[in-house]
Amino acid sequence: MARILVVDDEEGIRRVLHQLFEYEDHEVRSAGGGAEAISIYQEFQPDVTFLDVKMARMDGLEALTKIREHDPAAVVIMISGHGTIDTAVEATRRGAFDFLEKPLDTDRLLLVLRNALQQQGLVQENARLRGEIESRHQIVGRSFSLRQVLDRVEKVAPTDARVLVTGENGTGKELVARAIHRLSPRADKAFIEVNCAAIPSELIESELFGHMKGSFTGAHEDRAGKFELADGGTLFLDEIGDMSLQAQAKVLRALQEGIVTRVGGAKPITVDVRVLAATNKDLEEEIKGGRFREDLYYRLNVIPLHVPPLRERREDISMLVRHFVESYSREANLRPKHISDDALDRMQRMDWPGNVRELRNTVERLLILASGASITADDVELLVGGKMKGGALSGDLLGCATFAEFKEAAERAFIVQKLRENDWNVSETARILDMPRSNLYKKIERYELVREG
């Protein structure tokens, strides 16, 4: 169901359109003039507006302009009994979605409405996806060490300087690279990411520089490489320390000369690419071991930027947890759960060897598996901490072959724990778990739970 505003100074046309759109199960409002339409628009926020061109006092073109000033994304369909090409062109110039002439044809009206709603849906979906992407790639925290990183990002982003981002796995090196791109003059161009560790050494050159048809087995057509695809934008070489020496030599040439040559090709291709690189390795040690080119290291390491591990910014953990709860609940269409202070305290005291990535995965696990409306320290202990790893029930959990099996085993373990804590009082346990007692009885029967002793 959509919200539709009909604006026409002829009452008969307003009534007919109102009835037609209501019959199609839409919510409809009507206005007899431009000033009234603007007032209703601000309160009603319609998805589509049908606006007559010729009206007393304020005509439709003026009303269209004011509506678009209020809402630049407004979808407005102009209707007129005296349509001319000049009027249609002017309406389009002012942002009208379409232009219909009277007498209005019902099939044509509904077709244009359907097209308008499809566009409106695409706009809203694109906005939602942009919001989700920005949320997923947002750098969260206010610790001193993180502020130092962000300060350097803000200083280096407007330049074309190459940046080498270092840090442990899961610290957010990709997020830093994306932030540099987003704040740079290249933000409206492509951000191309290459995980050098995930591509076999025999394919990395083709991936980076492209190839010509027939240059090797499986090369069935010409293909542009990542350098070409990133032309004008940013190329992010993640895990650069895992790149083969042969590929390193070609990357060095591309950085020095600004040209690339496809595998099997002879024609050099000029590219304008800002290169950002990241690694979890000590490249100076890699150079000593003969596994990384020293000249490439100095080309990449114009601006060094180190991302601290999560254990060095524990004050950010509570903010990160709340951010992940909100973003994952929205993505998975789950009801957000409250995180108790004792749960946050328990998570702040953990070491998180997998850093922010491990914390995010943990929050998702807790949202899915914790039975109550609030996540407690017991949930963290059972599903993340010592009880899952070393307790009597840990074998059941760690031996699961699939996530569904893990979820069932974790739920069974959690119910057993709560029943034990309440001396197998089903009513009290059901209250604590925030579930009907009948549901708990069904789970006890399903999991074949029997009181010990």
Side-chain angles (χ1 to χ4, degrees), residues 174-387:
E174 179 195 345
L175 299 186
V176 170
R178 287 183 178 275
I180 292 172
H181 173 73
R182 192 165 57 245
L183 297 174
S184 77
R186 298 171 180 263
D188 60 339
K189 302 295 184 180
F191 177 89
I192 303 296
E193 179 184 0
V194 180
N195 187 334
C196 302
I199 303 172
S201 57
E202 63 270 17
L203 296 179
I204 187 69
E205 291 183 52
S206 169
E207 191 72 18
L208 290 174
F209 308 110
H211 61 252
M212 303 302 292
K213 180 180 179 180
S215 57
F216 55 86
T217 302
H220 300 301
E221 58 185 1
D222 293 352
R223 182 184 174 192
K226 300 300 187 186
F227 269 91
E228 289 182 65
L229 296 175
D231 188 29
T234 302
L235 177 64
F236 175 48
L237 300 175
D238 198 9
E239 305 299 348
I240 187 76
D242 293 281
M243 182 181 288
S244 68
L245 287 169
Q246 185 177 0
Q248 289 177 34
K250 287 200 170 186
V251 169
L252 178 63
R253 178 176 179 242
L255 296 181
Q256 289 173 331
E257 303 176 10
I259 60 172
V260 297
T261 304
R262 294 183 182 181
V263 175
K267 180 182 176 183
I269 301 168
T270 302
V271 291
D272 171 25
V273 176
R274 183 184 191 177
V275 174
L276 308 176
T279 182
N280 63 348
K281 293 185 174 181
D282 184 339
L283 291 188
E284 293 184 356
E285 288 297 319
E286 296 296 300
I287 291 169
K288 291 178 183 177
R291 295 179 294 275
F292 201 84
R293 295 181 62 111
E294 186 174 17
D295 46 4
L296 177 58
Y297 172 70
Y298 289 118
R299 285 280 178 179
L300 294 172
N301 195 34
V302 177
I303 304 292
L305 207 164
H306 181 71
V307 185
L310 192 54
R311 61 182 175 276
E312 294 180 8
R313 41 181 288 227
R314 293 182 185 276
E315 59 267 46
D316 292 336
I317 289 177
S318 60
M319 185 182 296
L320 282 162
V321 169
R322 293 189 175 98
H323 169 72
F324 292 146
V325 166
E326 180 181 344
S327 60
Y328 184 72
S329 298
R330 183 172 58 249
E331 291 171 17
N333 198 25
L334 296 173
R335 177 179 295 180
K337 293 186 178 182
H338 172 260
I339 307 290
S340 67
D341 291 340
D342 58 350
L344 287 173
D345 180 67
R346 177 71 180 89
M347 285 190 274
Q348 282 182 316
R349 288 186 283 109
M350 296 172 67
D351 284 337
W352 303 110
N355 294 294
V356 179
R357 184 183 298 132
E358 181 185 2
L359 179 63
R360 179 185 176 91
N361 292 342
T362 296
V363 171
E364 292 181 6
R365 184 191 309 162
L366 289 166
L367 286 171
I368 294 169
L369 298 181
S371 299
S374 178
I375 295 173
T376 67
D378 287 341
D379 296 320
V380 176
E381 186 69 15
L382 177 67
L383 298 172
V384 185
K387 291 186 181 179

Side-chain angles (χ1 to χ4, degrees), residues 24 116 122 128 135 198 253 268 354 364 395:
E24 295 291 323
L122 287 173
R128 183 188 67 80
S135 174
R253 178 176 179 242
E364 292 181 6

